[in-house]
Amino acid sequence: AALNPWDVMLCVSGTAIACENALVVAIICYSPALRTPMFVLVGSLATADLLAGLGLILNFVFQYVIRSETVSLLTVGFLVASFAASVSSLLAITVDRYLSLYNALTYYSERTVLCIHTMLAGAWGVSLCLGLLPVLGWNCLHDRATCSVVRPLTKSNVTLLSASFFLIFLIMLHLYIEICKIVCRHAHQIALQQHFLTASHYVATKKGVSTLAIILGTFGASWLPFAIYCVVGDPDYPSVYTYATLLPATYNSMINPIIYAYRNQEIQRSMWVLFCGCFQAKVSFRSRSPSDV
């Protein structure tokens, strides 16, 4: 088959995603200090994005080297499960950030760890089930009329996936609005205790709200076009529309390590130790809260 430039771009995107997130997974596994619930969630997100990147690479290889319906179903199911786990991990991180602010006094407890592990188990379990659906028969290989804009997924399958994404996006939007309210309220209370409102409080509050807006805006801008097109699109439309909306969705997995991992001071320090082997024990580090953004 002739080489499709869109497939090449997806493969390049997958390679970048895999490399970025493999580094995050290696750092978290290498550093015993990174065992808090926050880093467990970041590790889950990085693992999901790493698998998604590998899935994009395998999809390219199997599409042009090993052309098989069975392999195609397995690859698509793998991608669905990986991206579903990535989006679910983002939701779990949002819930964790909300809990760290709403229940700040009881956050560092065994109950929180159990809650985090339960959320991750549920997220990966649901993602695995969604990935198995095409393999177990929910596909359009034997009925082309039921195909969606993402072959071999059926229209009802992509509708389910899109509806799940919209629900997750609305939940994240609601939680981040609540987080902004809590952050603004805390900043105002601190200012009142000091009997005056300093410029630093306004700057810190504005920075926190801006960061949350960037996080949610990046997530929505990456996935919303593809989710909407999966619902309104027709399989008879040119495939370039599918590629043009799917490619930005993959960029979310490329941006996630920058937002959730590389900006964190503990991960930056662990990265320095991992690659340079030099760590100054005299340097003091403040352990950041999961609510730090």
Side-chain angles (χ1 to χ4, degrees):
L3 197 62
N4 189 334
W6 287 100
D7 290 328
V8 175
M9 285 190 288
L10 284 175
C11 183
V12 172
S13 177
T15 304
I17 291 170
C19 292
E20 279 184 299
N21 288 281
L23 179 58
V24 176
V25 173
I27 290 172
I28 293 178
C29 293
Y30 171 81
S31 305
L34 304 181
R35 295 293 185 269
T36 61
M38 177 181 67
F39 290 113
V40 171
L41 292 171
V42 172
S44 172
L45 176 63
T47 301
D49 288 333
L50 170 60
L51 295 176
L54 294 177
L56 291 172
I57 299 173
L58 293 176
N59 181 66
F60 177 82
V61 172
F62 291 143
Q63 187 173 355
Y64 290 97
V65 178
I66 306 175
R67 301 181 62 86
S68 168
E69 291 184 350
T70 303
V71 173
S72 175
L73 284 176
L74 291 174
T75 305
V76 170
F78 185 80
L79 284 171
V80 169
S82 301
F83 281 119
S86 175
V87 173
S88 300
S89 296
L90 287 174
L91 176 60
I93 290 176
T94 306
V95 173
D96 176 68
R97 286 183 168 179
Y98 173 75
L99 292 177
S100 69
L101 289 171
Y102 186 76
N103 296 321
L105 297 178
T106 60
Y107 177 79
Y108 294 99
S109 64
E110 294 182 0
R111 183 178 179 181
T112 300
V113 176
L114 177 62
C115 178
I116 297 300
H117 290 165
T118 302
M119 279 197 303
L120 288 181
W124 281 91
V126 172
S127 301
L128 180 60
C129 291
L130 291 175
L132 287 176
L133 290 178
V135 181
L136 296 178
W138 204 359
N139 58 70
C140 63
L141 292 180
H142 304 293
D143 187 3
R144 301 292 179 179
T146 62
C147 281
S148 67
V149 294
V150 183
R151 296 181 178 87
L153 299 181
T154 63
K155 296 178 182 178
S156 56
N157 195 341
V158 297
T159 301
L160 172 64
L161 295 174
S162 298
S164 301
F165 168 80
F166 292 137
L167 177 61
I168 290 176
F169 181 77
L170 290 176
I171 294 175
M172 290 178 62
L173 177 61
H174 172 71
L175 290 176
Y176 274 127
I177 291 176
E178 294 299 319
I179 289 174
C180 288
K181 291 180 180 179
I182 295 174
V183 170
C184 292
R185 185 164 61 248
H186 285 180
H188 184 68
Q189 290 174 349
I190 293 173
L192 291 179
Q193 290 176 358
Q194 297 180 357
H195 305 293
F196 61 91
L197 297 174
T198 63
S200 60
H201 292 127
Y202 287 111
V203 172
T205 303
K206 183 178 179 180
K207 181 180 179 182
V209 173
S210 300
T211 303
L212 294 177
I214 292 173
I215 291 173
L216 192 62
T218 302
F219 176 64
S222 299
W223 278 105
L224 276 176
F226 180 67
I228 294 174
Y229 182 68
C230 284
V231 176
V232 303
D234 190 274
D236 294 330
Y237 292 169
S239 61
V240 64
Y241 297 154
T242 303
Y243 282 113
T245 53
L246 176 60
L247 188 61
T250 64
Y251 291 159
N252 186 66
S253 296
M254 195 182 302
I255 298 173
N256 283 339
I258 300 174
I259 295 178
Y260 295 97
Y262 295 133
R263 292 174 62 249
N264 184 277
Q265 293 181 1
E266 280 83 354
I267 289 184
Q268 291 175 3
R269 181 180 65 172
S270 298
M271 188 185 306
W272 180 261
V273 174
L274 180 63
F275 286 102
C276 301
C278 48
F279 171 69
Q280 297 179 356
K282 296 181 180 180
V283 177
S284 61
F285 256 79
R286 180 180 65 90
S287 180
R288 297 179 68 189
S289 163
S291 60
D292 290 346
V293 292

